[in-house]
Short mmCIF file of all heavy atoms in Angstrom, two decimals:
data_model
loop_
_atom_site.label_atom_id
_atom_site.label_comp_id
_atom_site.label_asym_id
_atom_site.label_seq_id
_atom_site.Cartn_x
_atom_site.Cartn_y
_atom_site.Cartn_z
N GLY C 70 -48.74 18.91 52.19
CA GLY C 70 -48.63 19.34 53.59
C GLY C 70 -47.34 18.84 54.21
O GLY C 70 -46.64 19.58 54.92
N LYS C 71 -46.98 17.58 53.91
CA LYS C 71 -45.77 17.01 54.50
C LYS C 71 -44.52 17.70 53.95
O LYS C 71 -43.55 17.94 54.68
CB LYS C 71 -45.71 15.51 54.23
CG LYS C 71 -46.80 14.77 55.01
CD LYS C 71 -46.68 13.29 54.89
CE LYS C 71 -47.59 12.58 55.89
NZ LYS C 71 -49.01 12.90 55.77
N LEU C 72 -44.57 18.02 52.66
CA LEU C 72 -43.42 18.70 52.05
C LEU C 72 -43.21 20.08 52.68
O LEU C 72 -42.07 20.47 52.95
CB LEU C 72 -43.66 18.88 50.55
CG LEU C 72 -43.20 17.73 49.67
CD1 LEU C 72 -43.70 17.93 48.26
CD2 LEU C 72 -41.67 17.64 49.67
N ASP C 73 -44.32 20.78 52.92
CA ASP C 73 -44.20 22.10 53.57
C ASP C 73 -43.49 21.96 54.91
O ASP C 73 -42.60 22.74 55.24
CB ASP C 73 -45.60 22.72 53.78
CG ASP C 73 -46.16 23.29 52.50
OD1 ASP C 73 -45.37 23.47 51.54
OD2 ASP C 73 -47.38 23.54 52.43
N GLY C 74 -43.94 20.94 55.66
CA GLY C 74 -43.34 20.70 56.98
C GLY C 74 -41.85 20.41 56.87
O GLY C 74 -41.03 20.97 57.61
N LEU C 75 -41.48 19.57 55.91
CA LEU C 75 -40.06 19.21 55.75
C LEU C 75 -39.22 20.41 55.34
O LEU C 75 -38.09 20.58 55.81
CB LEU C 75 -39.92 18.10 54.69
CG LEU C 75 -40.32 16.71 55.15
CD1 LEU C 75 -40.37 15.76 53.97
CD2 LEU C 75 -39.34 16.18 56.20
N LEU C 76 -39.78 21.24 54.48
CA LEU C 76 -39.04 22.44 54.04
C LEU C 76 -38.78 23.36 55.23
O LEU C 76 -37.72 23.99 55.32
CB LEU C 76 -39.82 23.18 52.96
CG LEU C 76 -39.75 22.59 51.55
CD1 LEU C 76 -40.68 23.32 50.60
CD2 LEU C 76 -38.33 22.63 51.00
N LYS C 77 -39.77 23.40 56.14
CA LYS C 77 -39.58 24.26 57.33
C LYS C 77 -38.51 23.65 58.25
O LYS C 77 -37.67 24.36 58.78
CB LYS C 77 -40.91 24.40 58.08
CG LYS C 77 -41.82 25.45 57.43
CD LYS C 77 -43.13 25.56 58.15
CE LYS C 77 -44.09 26.39 57.29
NZ LYS C 77 -45.44 25.87 57.31
N VAL C 78 -38.55 22.32 58.41
CA VAL C 78 -37.61 21.67 59.33
C VAL C 78 -36.18 21.71 58.78
O VAL C 78 -35.24 22.07 59.49
CB VAL C 78 -38.05 20.21 59.59
CG1 VAL C 78 -36.97 19.46 60.37
CG2 VAL C 78 -39.36 20.18 60.35
N TYR C 79 -36.03 21.34 57.52
CA TYR C 79 -34.67 21.18 56.97
C TYR C 79 -34.15 22.41 56.23
O TYR C 79 -32.98 22.45 55.87
CB TYR C 79 -34.62 19.96 56.04
CG TYR C 79 -34.79 18.67 56.80
CD1 TYR C 79 -35.96 17.94 56.73
CD2 TYR C 79 -33.76 18.18 57.61
CE1 TYR C 79 -36.13 16.76 57.44
CE2 TYR C 79 -33.91 17.00 58.32
CZ TYR C 79 -35.09 16.29 58.23
OH TYR C 79 -35.24 15.14 58.93
N GLY C 80 -35.04 23.37 55.99
CA GLY C 80 -34.62 24.64 55.38
C GLY C 80 -33.76 24.46 54.15
O GLY C 80 -34.17 23.84 53.17
N GLY C 81 -32.54 24.96 54.22
CA GLY C 81 -31.65 24.96 53.05
C GLY C 81 -31.08 23.60 52.69
O GLY C 81 -30.34 23.49 51.72
N GLY C 82 -31.44 22.57 53.43
CA GLY C 82 -30.91 21.24 53.13
C GLY C 82 -31.65 20.56 51.99
O GLY C 82 -31.23 19.51 51.51
N ILE C 83 -32.79 21.14 51.61
CA ILE C 83 -33.62 20.49 50.58
C ILE C 83 -33.78 21.39 49.36
O ILE C 83 -33.99 22.60 49.49
CB ILE C 83 -35.03 20.16 51.16
CG1 ILE C 83 -34.92 19.10 52.26
CG2 ILE C 83 -35.97 19.69 50.07
CD1 ILE C 83 -36.25 18.74 52.90
N ARG C 84 -33.67 20.77 48.22
CA ARG C 84 -33.98 21.45 46.96
C ARG C 84 -35.20 20.73 46.38
O ARG C 84 -35.14 19.53 46.08
CB ARG C 84 -32.80 21.33 45.99
CG ARG C 84 -33.10 21.71 44.56
CD ARG C 84 -32.75 23.12 44.32
NE ARG C 84 -32.71 23.48 42.90
CZ ARG C 84 -32.67 24.72 42.49
NH1 ARG C 84 -32.68 25.72 43.33
NH2 ARG C 84 -32.60 25.00 41.20
N LEU C 85 -36.30 21.44 46.26
CA LEU C 85 -37.55 20.82 45.81
C LEU C 85 -37.96 21.38 44.45
O LEU C 85 -37.99 22.59 44.25
CB LEU C 85 -38.66 21.10 46.83
CG LEU C 85 -40.08 20.71 46.44
CD1 LEU C 85 -40.23 19.20 46.32
CD2 LEU C 85 -41.08 21.24 47.47
N GLN C 86 -38.26 20.48 43.54
CA GLN C 86 -38.79 20.89 42.23
C GLN C 86 -40.15 20.23 42.04
O GLN C 86 -40.25 19.00 42.10
CB GLN C 86 -37.87 20.45 41.11
CG GLN C 86 -36.55 21.21 41.08
CD GLN C 86 -35.86 21.06 39.74
OE1 GLN C 86 -36.28 21.60 38.73
NE2 GLN C 86 -34.80 20.30 39.74
N LEU C 87 -41.16 21.04 41.85
CA LEU C 87 -42.51 20.51 41.65
C LEU C 87 -42.80 20.41 40.16
O LEU C 87 -42.60 21.38 39.42
CB LEU C 87 -43.53 21.43 42.33
CG LEU C 87 -43.35 21.61 43.84
CD1 LEU C 87 -44.31 22.66 44.37
CD2 LEU C 87 -43.58 20.29 44.57
N LYS C 88 -43.28 19.25 39.74
CA LYS C 88 -43.61 19.07 38.32
C LYS C 88 -45.03 18.56 38.19
O LYS C 88 -45.53 17.87 39.08
CB LYS C 88 -42.62 18.10 37.69
CG LYS C 88 -41.20 18.67 37.70
CD LYS C 88 -40.29 17.97 36.76
CE LYS C 88 -38.97 18.73 36.64
NZ LYS C 88 -38.04 18.05 35.76
N HIS C 89 -45.64 18.92 37.08
CA HIS C 89 -47.04 18.54 36.88
C HIS C 89 -47.15 17.17 36.23
O HIS C 89 -46.44 16.86 35.28
CB HIS C 89 -47.72 19.55 35.97
CG HIS C 89 -47.80 20.93 36.55
ND1 HIS C 89 -48.35 21.19 37.78
CD2 HIS C 89 -47.40 22.13 36.06
CE1 HIS C 89 -48.28 22.50 38.02
NE2 HIS C 89 -47.70 23.09 37.00
N TYR C 90 -48.05 16.38 36.78
CA TYR C 90 -48.43 15.15 36.10
C TYR C 90 -49.95 14.96 36.27
O TYR C 90 -50.41 14.10 37.03
CB TYR C 90 -47.65 13.94 36.65
CG TYR C 90 -47.90 12.68 35.84
CD1 TYR C 90 -47.52 12.63 34.50
CD2 TYR C 90 -48.52 11.58 36.38
CE1 TYR C 90 -47.76 11.51 33.74
CE2 TYR C 90 -48.76 10.44 35.62
CZ TYR C 90 -48.38 10.42 34.30
OH TYR C 90 -48.61 9.29 33.55
N PRO C 91 -50.74 15.83 35.60
CA PRO C 91 -52.19 15.72 35.74
C PRO C 91 -52.71 14.41 35.15
O PRO C 91 -52.36 14.06 34.02
CB PRO C 91 -52.72 16.94 34.97
CG PRO C 91 -51.62 17.38 34.09
CD PRO C 91 -50.34 16.92 34.70
N LEU C 92 -53.48 13.71 35.94
CA LEU C 92 -54.05 12.42 35.47
C LEU C 92 -55.33 12.75 34.70
O LEU C 92 -56.45 12.69 35.24
CB LEU C 92 -54.34 11.51 36.66
CG LEU C 92 -53.12 11.18 37.53
CD1 LEU C 92 -53.52 10.53 38.84
CD2 LEU C 92 -52.16 10.27 36.77
N VAL C 93 -55.15 13.12 33.46
CA VAL C 93 -56.27 13.69 32.68
C VAL C 93 -57.39 12.68 32.42
O VAL C 93 -58.52 13.07 32.16
CB VAL C 93 -55.77 14.30 31.34
CG1 VAL C 93 -55.02 15.59 31.61
CG2 VAL C 93 -54.90 13.33 30.59
N ASN C 94 -57.09 11.40 32.51
CA ASN C 94 -58.15 10.40 32.27
C ASN C 94 -59.18 10.36 33.40
O ASN C 94 -60.33 10.05 33.16
CB ASN C 94 -57.53 9.00 32.12
CG ASN C 94 -56.72 8.91 30.85
OD1 ASN C 94 -56.97 9.64 29.89
ND2 ASN C 94 -55.73 8.04 30.86
N ILE C 95 -58.74 10.64 34.60
CA ILE C 95 -59.68 10.56 35.72
C ILE C 95 -60.00 11.93 36.33
O ILE C 95 -60.98 12.07 37.03
CB ILE C 95 -59.18 9.59 36.82
CG1 ILE C 95 -57.74 9.91 37.23
CG2 ILE C 95 -59.29 8.15 36.38
CD1 ILE C 95 -57.27 9.10 38.43
N HIS C 96 -59.17 12.91 36.05
CA HIS C 96 -59.40 14.25 36.61
C HIS C 96 -59.47 15.24 35.44
O HIS C 96 -58.44 15.76 35.00
CB HIS C 96 -58.27 14.64 37.56
CG HIS C 96 -58.14 13.73 38.75
ND1 HIS C 96 -56.93 13.37 39.29
CD2 HIS C 96 -59.08 13.10 39.49
CE1 HIS C 96 -57.13 12.56 40.32
NE2 HIS C 96 -58.43 12.38 40.45
N PRO C 97 -60.69 15.51 34.96
CA PRO C 97 -60.81 16.28 33.72
C PRO C 97 -60.28 17.72 33.80
O PRO C 97 -59.95 18.30 32.77
CB PRO C 97 -62.32 16.28 33.46
CG PRO C 97 -62.96 15.90 34.74
CD PRO C 97 -61.99 15.06 35.48
N TRP C 98 -60.18 18.28 35.03
CA TRP C 98 -59.76 19.69 35.11
C TRP C 98 -58.33 19.85 35.63
O TRP C 98 -57.89 20.97 35.90
CB TRP C 98 -60.75 20.47 36.00
CG TRP C 98 -62.13 20.41 35.44
CD1 TRP C 98 -63.18 19.68 35.92
CD2 TRP C 98 -62.58 21.03 34.24
NE1 TRP C 98 -64.28 19.82 35.10
CE2 TRP C 98 -63.94 20.65 34.07
CE3 TRP C 98 -62.00 21.87 33.29
CZ2 TRP C 98 -64.70 21.08 32.98
CZ3 TRP C 98 -62.76 22.30 32.22
CH2 TRP C 98 -64.08 21.90 32.07
N SER C 99 -57.64 18.75 35.80
CA SER C 99 -56.29 18.83 36.37
C SER C 99 -55.31 19.58 35.48
O SER C 99 -54.47 20.34 35.97
CB SER C 99 -55.72 17.43 36.59
OG SER C 99 -56.28 16.87 37.72
N LEU C 100 -55.43 19.35 34.19
CA LEU C 100 -54.52 20.04 33.26
C LEU C 100 -54.75 21.55 33.32
O LEU C 100 -53.80 22.34 33.35
CB LEU C 100 -54.72 19.50 31.84
CG LEU C 100 -53.80 20.05 30.76
CD1 LEU C 100 -52.34 19.76 31.07
CD2 LEU C 100 -54.15 19.44 29.40
N ASP C 101 -56.04 21.94 33.36
CA ASP C 101 -56.36 23.38 33.47
C ASP C 101 -55.84 23.93 34.79
O ASP C 101 -55.29 25.03 34.83
CB ASP C 101 -57.87 23.59 33.39
CG ASP C 101 -58.39 23.27 32.00
OD1 ASP C 101 -58.37 24.15 31.14
OD2 ASP C 101 -58.80 22.11 31.78
N ALA C 102 -56.03 23.14 35.85
CA ALA C 102 -55.57 23.60 37.17
C ALA C 102 -54.07 23.83 37.15
O ALA C 102 -53.58 24.84 37.67
CB ALA C 102 -55.94 22.56 38.23
N ALA C 103 -53.34 22.91 36.52
CA ALA C 103 -51.88 23.05 36.44
C ALA C 103 -51.51 24.31 35.65
O ALA C 103 -50.60 25.05 36.03
CB ALA C 103 -51.28 21.82 35.78
N ALA C 104 -52.25 24.55 34.57
CA ALA C 104 -51.96 25.74 33.74
C ALA C 104 -52.24 27.02 34.53
O ALA C 104 -51.41 27.95 34.53
CB ALA C 104 -52.81 25.70 32.47
N TYR C 105 -53.39 27.06 35.23
CA TYR C 105 -53.70 28.26 36.03
C TYR C 105 -52.68 28.44 37.15
O TYR C 105 -52.29 29.56 37.46
CB TYR C 105 -55.12 28.18 36.60
CG TYR C 105 -56.17 28.47 35.55
CD1 TYR C 105 -57.13 27.52 35.20
CD2 TYR C 105 -56.22 29.71 34.90
CE1 TYR C 105 -58.09 27.78 34.23
CE2 TYR C 105 -57.17 29.98 33.93
CZ TYR C 105 -58.11 29.00 33.60
OH TYR C 105 -59.04 29.28 32.63
N ALA C 106 -52.26 27.33 37.75
CA ALA C 106 -51.27 27.43 38.83
C ALA C 106 -49.96 28.04 38.30
O ALA C 106 -49.38 28.91 38.94
CB ALA C 106 -51.00 26.04 39.41
N ASP C 107 -49.54 27.59 37.13
CA ASP C 107 -48.31 28.15 36.54
C ASP C 107 -48.48 29.64 36.26
O ASP C 107 -47.55 30.43 36.44
CB ASP C 107 -47.95 27.41 35.26
CG ASP C 107 -47.12 26.15 35.54
OD1 ASP C 107 -46.99 25.81 36.74
OD2 ASP C 107 -46.62 25.52 34.59
N CYS C 108 -49.67 29.99 35.77
CA CYS C 108 -49.89 31.40 35.44
C CYS C 108 -49.96 32.25 36.71
O CYS C 108 -49.50 33.40 36.71
CB CYS C 108 -51.17 31.54 34.61
SG CYS C 108 -51.01 30.66 33.05
N ALA C 109 -50.49 31.66 37.79
CA ALA C 109 -50.44 32.37 39.08
C ALA C 109 -48.98 32.50 39.51
O ALA C 109 -48.57 33.53 40.06
CB ALA C 109 -51.24 31.60 40.12
N GLY C 110 -48.21 31.48 39.25
CA GLY C 110 -46.78 31.51 39.58
C GLY C 110 -46.07 32.62 38.84
O GLY C 110 -45.20 33.29 39.39
N GLU C 111 -46.46 32.82 37.59
CA GLU C 111 -45.82 33.90 36.82
C GLU C 111 -46.17 35.27 37.39
O GLU C 111 -45.46 36.24 37.16
CB GLU C 111 -46.20 33.78 35.34
CG GLU C 111 -45.37 32.69 34.69
CD GLU C 111 -45.74 32.36 33.26
OE1 GLU C 111 -46.49 33.14 32.64
OE2 GLU C 111 -45.29 31.30 32.78
N GLN C 112 -47.29 35.32 38.13
CA GLN C 112 -47.64 36.58 38.81
C GLN C 112 -47.18 36.56 40.27
O GLN C 112 -47.60 37.38 41.07
CB GLN C 112 -49.15 36.81 38.72
CG GLN C 112 -49.62 37.05 37.29
CD GLN C 112 -51.10 37.43 37.21
OE1 GLN C 112 -51.61 38.17 38.03
NE2 GLN C 112 -51.79 36.91 36.20
N GLY C 113 -46.38 35.57 40.63
CA GLY C 113 -45.74 35.54 41.95
C GLY C 113 -46.55 34.90 43.07
O GLY C 113 -46.21 35.06 44.24
N LYS C 114 -47.64 34.18 42.69
CA LYS C 114 -48.45 33.60 43.79
C LYS C 114 -48.71 32.12 43.57
O LYS C 114 -49.83 31.64 43.76
CB LYS C 114 -49.75 34.38 43.91
CG LYS C 114 -49.54 35.80 44.38
CD LYS C 114 -50.74 36.41 45.03
CE LYS C 114 -50.38 37.74 45.67
NZ LYS C 114 -51.53 38.58 45.93
N TYR C 115 -47.70 31.39 43.20
CA TYR C 115 -47.88 29.96 42.93
C TYR C 115 -48.33 29.20 44.19
O TYR C 115 -49.33 28.49 44.18
CB TYR C 115 -46.57 29.36 42.40
CG TYR C 115 -46.69 27.88 42.08
CD1 TYR C 115 -47.25 27.45 40.88
CD2 TYR C 115 -46.29 26.92 43.00
CE1 TYR C 115 -47.39 26.10 40.60
CE2 TYR C 115 -46.43 25.56 42.72
CZ TYR C 115 -46.98 25.18 41.52
OH TYR C 115 -47.13 23.83 41.25
N SER C 116 -47.60 29.40 45.28
CA SER C 116 -47.89 28.62 46.49
C SER C 116 -49.28 28.95 47.03
O SER C 116 -50.01 28.05 47.45
CB SER C 116 -46.85 28.91 47.57
OG SER C 116 -45.60 28.49 47.10
N ASP C 117 -49.66 30.23 47.02
CA ASP C 117 -50.98 30.61 47.53
C ASP C 117 -52.09 29.99 46.68
O ASP C 117 -53.07 29.47 47.20
CB ASP C 117 -51.14 32.14 47.51
CG ASP C 117 -50.09 32.82 48.38
OD1 ASP C 117 -49.73 32.22 49.41
OD2 ASP C 117 -49.62 33.91 48.02
N TYR C 118 -51.91 30.07 45.38
CA TYR C 118 -52.95 29.57 44.48
C TYR C 118 -53.06 28.04 44.58
O TYR C 118 -54.16 27.50 44.65
CB TYR C 118 -52.62 29.99 43.04
CG TYR C 118 -53.78 29.83 42.08
CD1 TYR C 118 -54.76 30.81 41.98
CD2 TYR C 118 -53.89 28.71 41.27
CE1 TYR C 118 -55.83 30.66 41.10
CE2 TYR C 118 -54.95 28.55 40.40
CZ TYR C 118 -55.91 29.54 40.30
OH TYR C 118 -56.97 29.38 39.44
#
Side-chain angles (χ1 to χ4, degrees):
Chain C
K71 291 186 169 59
L72 272 171
D73 283 345
L75 284 170
L76 282 174
K77 280 178 192 140
V78 172
Y79 292 106
I83 294 179
R84 167 94 166 167
L85 171 66
Q86 290 197 72
L87 300 173
K88 296 197 171 178
H89 296 305
Y90 187 63
L92 301 168
V93 288
N94 292 334
I95 51 173
H96 299 143
W98 301 107
S99 283
L100 183 61
D101 292 274
Y105 284 119
D107 274 8
C108 297
E111 281 174 13
Q112 293 186 40
K114 292 203 171 161
Y115 181 81
S116 297
D117 299 327
Y118 194 83

